[in-house]
Amino acid sequence: MAPPGILNRYLLLMAQEHLEFRLPEIKSLLSLFGGQFTSSQETYGKSPFWILSIPSEDIARNLMKRTVCAKSIFELWGHGKCPEELYSSLKNYPVEKMVPFLHSDSTYKIKIHTFNKTLTQEEKVKRIDALEFLPFEGKVNLKKPQHIFSILEDYGLDPNHIPENPHNIYFGRWIADGQRELIESYSVKKRHFIGNTSMDAGLSFIMANHGKVKKNDIVFDPFVGTGGLLIASAHFGAYVYGTDIDYNTVHGLGKASRKNQKWRGPDENIRANLRQYGLEKYYLDVLVSDASKPSWRKGTYFDAIITDPPYGIRESTRRTGSQKEIPKGIEKCPESHVPVSLSYHLSDMFFDLLNFSAETLVLGGRLVYWLPVYTPEYTEEMVPWHPCLKLISNCEQKLSSHTSRRLITMEKVKEFELEDLEVHSSRIAEAWLGEFMLARIHRKTVQNRSSRPR
């Protein structure tokens, strides 16, 4: 561990997927484990190589036990724009930091990783032999080494113009790999119970990480659907709870979403999904409930609210109504009838979601949700706002040339008071054009579908 006040440098090898989501995830996880995002690197953009300063190796290992955006992390021993700069950097690295991993009783191997270029075996051996000036005293073991070292070369991002020489070369000691395998092991394709809009496994874990979900937290999803977001939170040790207005989805009834299956089976439900992954002990409950009329007593219950509200395109936006709310000209139902289902305007939905989060999140708790936008007319002022919630990150996932959805992460920074509701009401009415954006998205989607060849 580095002495107090001195941060070790680490190299993160990032996955080239969901690029906008990577930096908020790493920042959130470092904050969760007591670290702070510190880097001399000016920009990250699309590069897979990030240099970070982290207080300890333990924090680096904890980071990799959670991240799905990073592939591996290395303790950085040297870095240069060319081989000569790398060798000079390695010679200046403190020998006392190297010795514990290079002594005669240890075993090691050296790996070569290149980005955007493939090297021949001869070229790889030549690069390894050039490191003979390092004080390696242990034995080479290619199968089960105690220590793994890597040379990493960056040849840029353009596969059509690969340079002869790398832009950057790094050398470091491998510390740990990330959790990329979770994307495959929790794939929706293998899941017992799914719906039309079940969240991709990778994005579910990213949302849980943005929400800083940790062991023994209570995580809530007010638009739970088939519970994909609950599964990701439960994997990290949180107790999960959800509500949805759709009775059939909550109880696993009705038509199946899978091809060649007409009706859902007797054990297709959210609890069965958690049981499939050995996470049933984290299941609190899922209720049929209307998000526009929360049935909670006043209080702070949740450490995180992570949700994917319906946009009204693939899943309808609905809420329960009453006889008084039925528009004029439509025949009313008998008084004994269950309240009718009315459309739930998108602006009202996000207004209710932010208010509910401000009231029920613990201080420091996070709200993570998706916001649909019409790209040509989107501005940051359209993101819903609340005086009790601070915007942490705003990441875009493109859906088409004209539509996208944005992953919004907010943190509760002050306790909810009645006057906050009035401020929120006036601000959201002025700033957000949700219904207008949704109408544009819906119209464009219908036009695209109608123009496709039959």
Side-chain angles (χ1 to χ4, degrees):
M1 183 173 178
I6 298 178
L7 301 179
N8 289 329
R9 290 201 311 164
Y10 293 85
L11 178 70
L12 266 180
L13 176 60
M14 305 300 295
Q16 292 302 96
E17 182 183 27
H18 303 309
L19 302 187
E20 281 201 22
F21 301 79
R22 301 185 304 180
L23 186 58
E25 189 207 45
I26 298 301
K27 284 184 174 181
S28 296
L29 292 177
L30 284 174
S31 172
L32 177 63
F33 296 120
Q36 187 175 358
F37 186 85
T38 307
S39 175
S40 57
Q41 197 168 334
E42 293 181 2
T43 181
Y44 295 89
K46 298 179 180 179
S47 172
F49 299 103
W50 294 9
I51 298 176
L52 303 181
S53 298
I54 300 177
S56 71
E57 188 173 312
D58 286 342
I59 292 178
R61 290 184 183 277
N62 286 334
L63 171 67
M64 301 311 287
K65 288 177 182 177
R66 288 288 301 263
T67 177
V68 293
C69 288
K71 292 183 175 180
S72 304
I73 193 167
F74 306 85
E75 183 183 53
L76 187 61
W77 286 14
H79 165 226
K81 300 285 186 183
C82 61
E84 291 72 24
E85 283 189 17
L86 173 65
Y87 304 151
S88 176
S89 177
L90 285 170
K91 290 173 183 177
N92 290 325
Y93 191 75
V95 177
E96 61 272 16
K97 290 187 177 182
M98 294 184 180
V99 170
F101 311 103
L102 306 180
H103 57 79
S104 57
D105 295 332
S106 65
T107 59
Y108 72 94
K109 75 173 179 179
I110 300 176
K111 297 173 66 176
I112 306 289
H113 177 90
T114 57
F115 181 77
N116 198 29
K117 188 172 184 176
T118 302
L119 300 180
T120 65
Q121 187 63 26
E122 183 181 350
E123 289 173 321
K124 291 180 180 179
V125 171
K126 183 178 179 181
R127 283 158 169 74
I128 293 173
D129 289 342
L131 298 174
E132 62 182 3
F133 63 88
L134 291 175
F136 286 105
E137 296 181 3
K139 296 180 179 179
V140 174
N141 186 327
L142 300 181
K143 292 185 177 179
K144 292 184 178 180
Q146 292 175 312
H147 309 295
I148 300 174
F149 301 90
S150 290
I151 300 171
L152 302 102
E153 298 184 351
D154 180 10
Y155 287 87
L157 299 167
D158 188 354
N160 298 317
H161 299 88
I162 301 174
E164 182 67 27
N165 299 310
H167 297 319
N168 289 283
I169 312 174
Y170 309 90
F171 181 85
R173 178 175 64 92
W174 173 83
I175 301 295
D177 289 333
Q179 303 300 308
R180 297 287 296 169
E181 74 278 358
L182 293 178
I183 297 173
E184 178 62 25
S185 59
Y186 280 84
S187 171
V188 174
K189 296 177 182 178
K190 304 175 183 178
R191 193 166 296 168
H192 188 63
F193 175 48
I194 62 170
N196 294 330
T197 57
S198 293
M199 182 62 64
D200 167 80
L203 289 174
S204 297
F205 284 108
I206 288 173
M207 292 176 73
N209 285 335
H210 281 213
K212 296 172 66 172
V213 172
K214 61 185 183 299
K215 189 175 181 179
N216 295 328
D217 276 357
I218 297 179
V219 176
F220 178 64
D221 183 353
F223 305 97
V224 70
T226 56
L229 300 180
L230 300 189
I231 292 171
S233 295
H235 174 82
F236 294 132
Y239 294 93
V240 294
Y241 182 81
T243 59
D244 202 286
I245 197 172
D246 192 323
Y247 180 94
N248 285 343
T249 299
V250 170
H251 291 280
L253 304 174
K255 291 185 177 180
S257 297
R258 281 191 171 87
K259 188 178 180 181
N260 302 324
Q261 182 181 340
K262 189 172 182 181
W263 303 101
R264 287 177 175 143
D267 194 34
E268 285 193 50
N269 53 57
I270 295 171
R271 188 168 196 153
N273 273 351
L274 288 160
R275 188 184 306 123
Q276 177 184 349
Y277 300 108
L279 303 172
E280 188 177 5
K281 66 179 181 179
Y282 297 111
Y283 176 86
L284 294 179
D285 208 348
V286 174
L287 304 178
V288 178
S289 180
D290 183 357
S292 71
K293 298 178 175 64
S295 54
W296 298 89
R297 288 182 293 180
K298 299 296 181 183
T300 53
Y301 305 104
F302 308 121
D303 298 284
I305 295 175
I306 300 177
T307 191
D308 179 25
Y311 314 144
I313 298 174
R314 295 182 68 186
E315 290 288 348
S316 62
T317 54
R318 295 182 294 138
R319 65 182 180 88
T320 54
S322 66
Q323 299 286 342
K324 295 180 181 179
E325 294 177 289
I326 298 177
K328 293 181 179 180
I330 298 179
E331 184 179 349
K332 293 188 177 183
C333 301
E335 291 185 6
S336 60
H337 184 67
V338 174
V340 296
S341 175
L342 301 178
S343 62
Y344 194 10
H345 296 300
L346 208 62
S347 56
D348 294 334
M349 183 187 303
F350 287 108
F351 177 85
D352 292 339
L353 176 62
L354 266 65
N355 268 328
F356 177 78
S357 302
E359 289 189 59
T360 59
L361 279 173
V362 299
L363 203 60
R366 288 194 169 186
L367 165 66
V368 184
Y369 68 95
W370 288 99
L371 175 72
V373 300
Y374 178 62
T375 310
E377 297 176 10
Y378 165 78
T379 64
E380 289 188 1
E381 287 72 25
M382 293 177 179
V383 176
W385 172 93
H386 195 285
C388 296
L389 303 173
K390 175 186 177 183
L391 181 65
I392 300 298
S393 62
N394 177 356
C395 310
E396 182 184 35
Q397 182 191 24
K398 289 187 178 296
L399 303 177
S400 70
S401 59
H402 55 274
T403 62
S404 65
R405 60 178 182 176
R406 307 192 74 91
L407 184 61
I408 308 297
T409 303
M410 310 181 87
E411 186 172 302
K412 184 173 177 178
V413 293
K414 69 184 289 286
E415 294 293 356
F416 180 83
E417 298 175 2
L418 192 58
E419 54 264 29
D420 292 324
L421 183 61
E422 298 174 1
V423 174
H424 180 210
S425 178
S426 61
R427 172 68 183 265
I428 202 169
E430 295 171 2
W432 201 60
L433 305 176
E435 303 309 317
F436 174 73
M437 290 200 299
L438 183 64
R440 287 293 191 109
I441 294 171
H442 184 70
R443 186 164 63 250
K444 289 285 185 180
T445 303
V446 171
Q447 288 174 353
N448 287 348
R449 286 174 181 169
S450 62
S451 62
R452 291 175 186 167
R454 299 290 180 183

